[in-house]
Amino acid sequence: MSWGPCFFYYHCPQCGKRFKYATDLIADLGPRFGLCPECGAEGVLEKEGARTPDDLQYEEIEE
Amino acid sequence: MAKKTIITAAVTGAWPKKENNPNVPLTPAEIAEDVYKCWQAGAAVAHLHMRDDAGNGTMDKNKFAETLRLLKTNHPDCDIVLNLTTSGDLYATEETRQIHLKELRPEMGSYDCGSMNWMHSGLFINSPAFLTELGNNMQEWGVKPEIECFDPGMIANAAYYLKKGVLKGPLYFQMCMGCANGIPGSVKNLLFMKETMDTLCPGSNWSAFGVGHSAMEILYAAVALGGNVRVGMEDNVMYSKGVLAESNAQFVERAARVIREFGNEVATPDEAREIIGLKK
Ligand SMILES: [Zn+2]
């Protein structure tokens, strides 16, 4: 059984972009984990877990 | 002769919904058709989960039975190996997690070789008593366990059950990479899982998958390390970055291309039976 990835879902407090990071990248990405890919601001964590019904509205950031 | 590589299609899983990908098969009819298309594309094994009428994971034996009936009736030419989950719902009882194996006698069933925190939110419990009972029952019922390992400790646990006679070799492992609370999905970690298996359970065969972004890394690494591969919407609803998968068969077709480009051949179901050690 898998439930796919576990994500942290964010929005950007500056530009409003919605994005997500898979939690198994916490160690790999270090301080970059959770940053807005557009403006580099620290994202506001909204929720976490397996793919939520609105998952597709959040861009997945992998690096 | 080229090495044969088994493709397992995990078409549904317990989690993704139509909102996540409208192409994920949820009903017995959808799952049976999907499995047939995956078999046509080269899958030798189908790992099956069921959903209730609301789309949530269920261990309802009638859903499993209906899916198998539809597959057999509508596609009698399909000789795919069926591998039924024993972990389709975190709230299932120890009885409902195995009664479908007893009644339907699929060739394989999943055997999750330890307990873990699940997705930082719940418990995935596979107690010593349950694993002992399930292992013994699967031997009695002629259902080959697929040993799902989410971290190296679960491989050590399999070695313990092998010694105790609860599991019988040669074992067939599924390395589950990148699940929260399990080992992260990377080539380095997959190599460690394989080496741990080779040391603790020599002579075993194995397959691997990575969820989400690690899917391709683990697919290529598993082929390169001489393992087998699992693909499908249970583990990943995206075909590539930002692109939803059109079907499970699309994943199987890509895995088949990777295997052939590497220089291996895609194992047929009967070849998979030989590799895994299934009697038929
Ligand atoms: Zn921003």
Side-chain angles (χ1 to χ4, degrees), chain B residues 5 12 22 24 26 78 90 97 141 159 177 183 190 196 202 220 232 236 238:
Chain B
T5 303
T12 300
V24 61
L26 299 184
C78 182
L90 289 180
R97 288 181 64 183
W141 299 334
M177 310 295 294
I183 191 167
L190 182 64
T196 302
Y220 280 102
N236 199 5
M238 310 302 293

Side-chain angles (χ1 to χ4, degrees), chain B residues 66-123:
Chain B
E66 176 67 357
T67 304
L68 269 52
R69 188 190 68 76
L70 287 168
L71 186 60
K72 198 173 171 185
T73 307
N74 297 338
H75 303 292
D77 53 331
C78 182
D79 66 344
I80 198 164
V81 175
L82 294 174
N83 169 347
L84 307 187
T85 187
T86 58
S87 305
D89 170 9
L90 289 180
Y91 303 103
T93 67
E94 294 187 355
E95 190 195 353
T96 58
R97 288 181 64 183
Q98 47 183 324
I99 190 74
H100 62 310
L101 301 183
K102 183 181 185 183
E103 295 192 2
L104 301 170
R105 306 288 171 113
E107 290 183 87
M108 300 183 77
S110 58
Y111 186 95
D112 295 282
C113 212
S115 298
M116 60 193 291
N117 288 346
W118 191 249
M119 301 294 284
H120 306 286
S121 59
L123 292 171

